[in-house]
């Protein structure tokens, strides 16, 4: 039986700081804001609103992390 190597090289498009990140994160950020507004207007329960708020907070964190990694890669 063939042994698998322990290290796996990820494809280049999955590395942090690549250009596809903001192209996905910005639309998802806008959609999550719309979802939050919809839940607030609809009068959803507190749990559903907190879930939508957490979703809204995820996308800016990913945008900041992606930009930081892109700048770090450019400075190297």
């Amino acid at each position: 039986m063939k042994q698998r190597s322990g290290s796996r090289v990820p494809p280049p498009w999955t590395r942090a700081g690549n250009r596809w990140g903001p192209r996905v994160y910005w639309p998802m950020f806008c959609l999550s804001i719309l979802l939050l507004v919809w839940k607030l207007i609809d009068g959803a329960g507190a749990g559903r609103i907190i879930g939508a708020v957490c979703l809204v907070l995820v996308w800016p964190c990913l945008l900041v992390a992606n930009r930081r990694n892109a700048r770090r890669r450019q400075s190297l």
Side-chain angles (χ1 to χ4, degrees), residues 31-54 56:
L31 287 174
S32 62
I33 289 174
L34 288 174
L35 178 68
L36 175 62
V37 169
W38 182 23
K39 289 190 181 291
L40 288 171
I41 291 173
D42 195 35
R48 292 188 185 265
I49 291 174
I50 290 173
V53 167
C54 291
V56 168

Side-chain angles (χ1 to χ4, degrees), residues 4 6 8 10 14 16 19 33-34 36 46 50 53 56 58-59 62 65 73:
R4 296 174 77 172
R8 182 175 161 238
T14 62
R19 283 186 275 164
I33 289 174
L34 288 174
L36 175 62
I50 290 173
V53 167
V56 168
V58 164
W59 300 112
L62 289 172
R73 185 183 297 162

